[in-house]
């Protein structure tokens, strides 16, 4: 408004003759340019306010903060040209040239700088948001599991060794069973003879016992019982001495300890691998990928929308600046050539390339990401086991301590901390012996 008022004021002050022309012209036009620059700065600062409540005309003005001042300056210069054509060339030409130079400097330092600054800011935003958009967001498929394959290889190899330890232990159990069965066979005769009921028939007197009957009966019974005692003694010796005749006493303690220790070692290796896998499965998620892609898409779309809205205003302002510069050049011509120069300025189509945005795109919809397709990333489910533990041979069907040997369970811990048990403490129990009737291979013997 201040710039427009100054234009009207200058129009009233412009002389109808050449007398004092340059003095009044300079005194009037310089405040005009300063007022225009002030108005431009104010309107540019107001452009950052909320736009939703503005009318169409207000929005247009917001995107063209220099246009009003530029229109006033253009009208003033046309009026000056008209006055010069009417007045003709005079001694004021030198002063007018200096004045026009001053106007050009002010335009370069204010109007043109402001327009180019707004253009550059928007173009830089387009460039940066597009570069960010084209930098793909990482998702589950990008999780760098390859850096942890060595950990898994160590774990799988450890499980294979654990299998051999377990098989050695179970073979030992089978051997001890054979010894027990052999002991039972060797002791069967002793157990049969070591019952009094079978000796009852020895007390029966045979028929036709020779006289003296009682004496001969006692001699007969003594022979029978002596033979029975010898048979019982021989059977007992055979039963008791079975370990010396079959080899050293059988014990599976050391093999059990070896297996349990190796099992804990493998669990530890599994923990290291699965904890890393757990962390990756939390970082490289579908939700993170979708949120990242959406944010990048929205950033460029908003920058493009804003640039599209401001593009017409920037071009209109730039054309105004070009016309003003053309008029300034025209005013330097003699009065006789001035009108033709003015007409050329008005008819010329000024290029707006310096303020024409380079757009990219368009952006595409955010790609869908289905978490169900990446279950094999997360420990604690069958898909993960199939992906990483398929190479582990499950040759043991037994479940020991709640887990199946050879097919390790996987961790589903919410804090990525699995298999953190303590190593087993190996103890020594009595070796199996036929006489003692005990066994050293009970799992409960380990703490």
């Amino acid at each position: 408004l201040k710039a427009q008022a100054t234009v009207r004021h200058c129009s009233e002050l412009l002389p109808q003759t050449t007398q004092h022309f340059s003095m009044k012209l300079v005194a009037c036009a310089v405040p005009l340019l300063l007022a225009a620059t002030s108005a431009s700065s104010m309107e540019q600062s107001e452009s950052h306010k909320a736009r939703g409540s503005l009318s169409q005309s207000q929005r247009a003005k917001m995107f063209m903060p220099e246009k009003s001042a530029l229109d006033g300056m253009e009208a003033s210069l046309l009026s000056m040209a008209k006055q010069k054509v009417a007045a003709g060339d005079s001694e004021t030409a030198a002063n007018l040239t200096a004045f026009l130079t001053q106007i050009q400097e002010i335009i370069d330092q204010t109007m043109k700088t402001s327009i180019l600054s707004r253009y550059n800011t928007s173009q830089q935003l387009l460039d940066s948001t597009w570069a960010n958009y084209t930098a793909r967001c990482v998702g589950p498929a990008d999780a760098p599991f390859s850096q942890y394959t060595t950990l898994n290889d160590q774990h799988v190899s450890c499980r294979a060794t654990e299998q051999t330890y377990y098989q050695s232990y179970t073979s030992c159990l089978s051997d001890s069973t054979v010894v027990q069965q052999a002991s039972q066979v060797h002791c069967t005769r002793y157990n049969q003879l070591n019952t009094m009921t079978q000796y009852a028939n020895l007390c029966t007197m045979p028929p036709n016992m020779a006289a003296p009957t009682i004496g001969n009966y006692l001699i007969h019974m003594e022979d029978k019982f002596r033979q029975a005692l010898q048979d019982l003694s021989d059977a007992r010796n055979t039963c008791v001495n079975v370990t010396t005749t079959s080899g050293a006493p059988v014990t599976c303690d050391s093999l059990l300890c070896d297996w349990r220790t190796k099992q804990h070692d493998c669990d530890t290796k599994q923990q290291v691998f699965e904890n890393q896998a757990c962390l990756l499965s939390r970082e490289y998620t579908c939700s993170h990928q979708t949120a990242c892609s959406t944010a990048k898409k929205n950033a460029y779309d908003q920058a493009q929308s804003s640039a599209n809205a401001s593009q017409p205003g920037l071009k209109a302002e730039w054309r105004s600046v070009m016309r003003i510069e053309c008029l300034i050049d025209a005013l330097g011509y003699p009065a006789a050539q001035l009108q033709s120069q003015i007409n050329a300025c008005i008819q010329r189509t000024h290029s707006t390339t310096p303020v024409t945005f380079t757009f990219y795109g368009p952006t595409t919809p955010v790609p869908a990401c289905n978490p169900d397709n990446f279950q094999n990333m997360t420990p604690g489910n069958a898909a993960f086991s199939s992906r990483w533990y398929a190479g582990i041979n499950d040759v043991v069907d037994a479940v020991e301590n709640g887990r199946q040997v050879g097919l390790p369970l996987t961790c589903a811990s919410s804090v990525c901390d699995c298999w953190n048990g303590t190593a087993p403490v190996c103890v020594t129990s009595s070796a199996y012996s036929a006489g003692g009737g005990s066994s050293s291979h009970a799992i409960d013997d380990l703490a």
Side-chain angles (χ1 to χ4, degrees), residues 29 65 72 104 117 161 207 220 234 240 302 347 351 366 392 405 439:
Q104 182 64 61
S117 176
T161 305
H220 170 77
D234 292 343
V240 171
Q302 292 171 5
Q347 296 172 3
S351 172
V366 174
I392 298 178
V405 181
S439 174

Side-chain angles (χ1 to χ4, degrees), residues 206-227:
N208 304 317
M209 177 65 68
T213 305
I214 297 301
N216 288 328
Y217 170 69
L218 292 176
I219 294 172
H220 170 77
M221 287 191 61
E222 180 182 8
D223 292 337
K224 289 291 186 181
F225 275 99
R226 283 183 183 277
Q227 184 61 48

Side-chain angles (χ1 to χ4, degrees), residues 199-266:
Y199 298 109
N201 61 343
L202 296 181
C203 298
T204 303
M205 180 182 294
N208 304 317
M209 177 65 68
T213 305
I214 297 301
N216 288 328
Y217 170 69
L218 292 176
I219 294 172
H220 170 77
M221 287 191 61
E222 180 182 8
D223 292 337
K224 289 291 186 181
F225 275 99
R226 283 183 183 277
Q227 184 61 48
L229 179 60
Q230 184 62 49
D231 292 342
L232 178 63
S233 178
D234 292 343
R236 180 181 181 280
N237 290 337
T238 300
C239 177
V240 171
N241 295 330
V242 66
T243 55
T244 59
T245 58
S246 302
V250 178
T251 174
C252 299
D253 278 344
S254 62
L255 295 176
L256 178 60
C257 183
D258 290 344
W259 168 49
R260 290 299 196 193
T261 302
K262 176 54 66 173
Q263 185 183 72
H264 176 75
D265 179 38
C266 296

